[in-house]
Amino acid sequence: MKIFLTLFVLFFSSLVIADDISDYKIEKISVGDSLLKFYSKTTIKKNFDTESNKMNKDKTFYSVTIEDKKFENYDLIQVYLKTNDEDFLIYSIAGVTYFKEDISKCYSRKDTIVNEISRILKNIKKTDYGTYPHGSDPSGKSLVNSIYFDFQDDQGDGMDYIAVGCTDWSVDFEKTYNFNDNLRVVIANKEFDYWINNLAY
């Protein structure tokens, strides 16, 4: 059964709680899907996320950012694909909603989503990481506030997870990269998790 992560709640059968990260979806797309099921190669390449990819020192993965009028819950999605993978398999997908100069509303929305996920995924480990500097901003002024739902213990090689967080970019970073404060609901597998935490920046 597929489970859809919406902006506010998880819609699912109350009789089934999935323990496989690929059973969760954002805008009908799952980790492990080929992005080619949803978009052409031309569209994927056109939406290569130049600014985000510039910040990554290691190029094992790259991101594609897609805005689509068909999206029901988010302003855009950001997916991470593996470089030179002609199958365009998804290792991470995030639903992103902008909160321009109003980070307090982002925190309120985050709390709503986290409370709903906590109510449903009672047996999944939840970790509140509080507020910490965003890894891509060397100044340390851009901040993230996030909570992770971990699907297994990290043995040093990463873990599958769902994360809900708000990013409060510094004024300088917003100007340099044309970024906006945002809410992100992320589904990612362990291979991507290891990369983003150990190799990317």
Side-chain angles (χ1 to χ4, degrees):
M1 162 178 195
K2 294 297 183 180
I3 297 167
F4 296 80
L5 291 176
T6 72
L7 190 57
F8 296 104
V9 296
L10 289 165
F11 291 106
F12 69 107
S13 164
S14 61
L15 299 176
V16 179
I17 302 297
D19 57 3
D20 188 321
I21 201 70
S22 66
D23 286 325
Y24 295 83
K25 290 189 169 197
I26 288 176
E27 299 294 354
K28 303 180 181 178
I29 304 173
S30 300
V31 166
D33 283 343
S34 169
L35 194 55
L36 292 175
K37 285 171 57 179
F38 308 93
Y39 298 99
S40 68
K41 284 186 180 181
T42 300
T43 298
I44 294 169
K45 290 177 180 178
K46 185 175 73 173
N47 287 282
F48 179 87
D49 192 340
T50 303
E51 294 302 330
S52 290
N53 290 309
K54 261 187 210 175
M55 294 186 291
N56 299 331
K57 294 177 183 176
D58 182 87
K59 305 301 182 184
T60 301
F61 293 97
Y62 67 95
S63 67
V64 174
T65 300
I66 297 175
E67 297 182 50
D68 192 327
K69 292 179 181 178
K70 293 185 293 187
F71 291 161
E72 297 177 357
N73 303 298
Y74 300 95
D75 293 327
L76 59 86
I77 61 166
Q78 182 182 38
V79 300
Y80 274 86
L81 311 171
K82 190 170 277 190
T83 302
N84 299 323
D85 176 15
E86 290 301 313
D87 292 325
F88 292 87
L89 296 180
I90 297 168
Y91 289 77
S92 171
I93 178 168
V96 180
T97 301
Y98 291 126
F99 290 86
K100 297 180 181 179
E101 300 178 2
D102 199 349
I103 197 67
S104 63
K105 284 188 178 179
C106 184
Y107 293 141
S108 177
R109 190 71 55 80
K110 176 179 90 56
D111 290 344
T112 299
I113 297 170
V114 167
N115 288 339
E116 185 65 15
I117 296 175
S118 299
R119 184 181 66 81
I120 295 163
L121 301 183
K122 294 177 181 177
N123 297 321
I124 298 294
K125 178 184 174 184
K126 180 174 76 172
T127 304
D128 186 343
Y129 286 94
T131 302
Y132 52 93
H134 196 290
S136 65
D137 183 355
S139 75
K141 294 179 181 178
S142 296
L143 302 175
V144 181
N145 182 281
S146 65
I147 290 179
Y148 280 63
F149 295 85
D150 303 329
F151 282 65
Q152 69 273 133
D153 292 331
D154 187 356
Q155 303 297 323
D157 58 350
M159 58 193 172
D160 297 343
Y161 66 83
I162 295 172
V164 186
C166 291
T167 300
D168 185 4
W169 295 109
S170 70
V171 174
D172 289 343
F173 225 61
E174 286 179 343
K175 290 179 179 177
T176 300
Y177 294 102
N178 195 30
F179 284 177
N180 291 300
D181 296 344
N182 62 78
L183 168 78
R184 298 172 66 84
V185 179
V186 183
I187 308 170
N189 71 10
K190 62 189 297 182
E191 188 173 351
F192 173 83
D193 179 49
Y194 180 84
W195 175 78
I196 199 73
N197 285 306
N198 296 281
L199 302 172
Y201 302 124

